[in-house]
Amino acid sequence: MKDFLQISKERYTTKHYDSSKKISDADFQKLLEILRLAPSAVNVQPWYFFTGSSQKAKDIILKAIPEFNIPRIQGCSHFVVLCAKTKVDDEFLSSVTAKESADGRYSEDRIRDAVDEHRRHFSNMHVELGDFNEWTARQTYIAMTALLYGAASMGIDSTPIEGMDYSKCDEILSLKEKNLRSVAIVTLGYRACDDSNASRPKSRLELKDIVQNLD
């Protein structure tokens, strides 16, 4: 099994997919479970995901995709629209705490109540700071990163897409009524044999240019 560093060295953003190759249902369910298990600040999980693989589903989302990104949607096996919450109400926050309690995270009610209060404090703090939407989007990007590297660990290629019409996507999926907004789309599948990005060496800045040791 490859270690994470090796996966990081080899993974790249796929530009062209082999549309004849499909992700199995079992593997796609694993990818969804990776999304579900992604970490978030105070475990708030402020996200929601729309998925599709059929031509019907692709046609729906293509209305929000500019021409230069259409090949990624058309050629992929599956896609995931990642959405962030624009509001977390008492009912939602209570449901998170109830799920944690049901999963056995709390040995005492006082601990459960303290964690619940802490989560509400941070959620309300970002509302008061006026950066709530940015905060939930950042959490959703954590989930997206888990999806990208989880897919790579399974030999599945991916493309994170920001080149999209967010307002149109929100309209298509009726996100405003659901207190959600789109933040990205990830396409998933298997690279085409002539994918233009596959043969290019990976390029990143050197550690000395991005890391400073404070010891």
Side-chain angles (χ1 to χ4, degrees):
M1 179 181 294
K2 295 178 181 178
D3 66 20
F4 194 83
L5 177 58
Q6 190 62 32
I7 291 170
S8 298
K9 288 178 178 179
E10 295 178 358
R11 191 215 160 265
Y12 74 96
T13 294
T14 299
K15 296 299 183 181
H16 298 283
Y17 290 92
D18 183 340
S19 59
S20 69
K21 295 181 179 179
K22 301 299 181 183
I23 299 170
S24 70
D25 290 342
D27 280 349
F28 190 64
Q29 287 304 309
K30 287 182 182 178
L31 292 175
L32 294 182
E33 188 68 356
I34 287 170
L35 273 175
R36 188 182 76 86
L37 294 172
S40 60
V42 294
N43 199 31
V44 70
Q45 303 163 74
W47 46 53
Y48 196 86
F49 310 109
F50 293 84
T51 70
S53 60
S54 67
Q55 189 57 51
K56 176 183 176 182
K58 291 178 180 181
D59 287 343
I60 291 171
I61 211 66
L62 278 169
K63 297 171 185 175
I65 303 299
E67 185 176 355
F68 64 86
N69 263 331
I70 287 177
R72 258 61 73 195
I73 302 294
Q74 288 285 36
C76 74
S77 171
H78 290 65
F79 67 85
V80 179
V81 182
L82 299 99
C83 305
K85 289 186 176 293
T86 58
K87 175 184 178 181
V88 291
D89 55 21
D90 287 341
E91 182 180 2
F92 174 77
L93 292 171
S94 293
S95 72
V96 173
T97 302
K99 184 64 167 65
E100 290 175 335
S101 187
D103 287 339
R105 286 188 58 83
Y106 305 119
S107 57
E108 300 179 45
D109 288 351
R110 66 178 182 83
I111 299 175
R112 177 202 63 203
D113 294 344
V115 172
D116 182 73
E117 182 180 356
H118 184 65
R119 182 160 37 239
R120 291 171 188 272
H121 168 75
F122 270 91
S123 299
N124 291 331
M125 178 184 74
H126 285 287
V127 172
E128 293 169 1
L129 289 172
D131 69 344
F132 183 83
N133 285 353
E134 289 78 10
W135 180 60
T136 58
R138 289 195 295 268
Q139 306 312 309
T140 305
Y141 266 76
I142 295 172
M144 181 172 72
T145 301
L147 175 62
L148 296 176
Y149 283 91
S153 75
M154 298 165 60
I156 295 171
D157 297 309
S158 61
T159 309
I161 294 175
E162 286 187 317
M164 55 186 283
D165 186 332
Y166 292 96
S167 296
K168 189 65 176 178
C169 186
D170 292 358
E171 177 188 337
I172 292 167
L173 299 176
S174 301
L175 297 187
K176 185 175 182 181
E177 296 89 329
K178 301 178 177 77
N179 294 317
L180 295 168
R181 68 185 185 104
S182 55
V183 298
I185 295 175
V186 171
T187 54
L188 298 153
Y190 299 96
R191 69 191 70 172
C193 61
D194 60 348
D195 182 25
S196 59
N197 224 12
S199 60
R200 295 187 178 105
K202 177 162 271 188
S203 178
R204 296 292 189 273
L205 297 174
E206 298 294 337
L207 277 177
K208 65 181 178 61
D209 297 320
I210 61 171
V211 176
Q212 180 179 351
N213 188 348
L214 297 178
D215 289 337

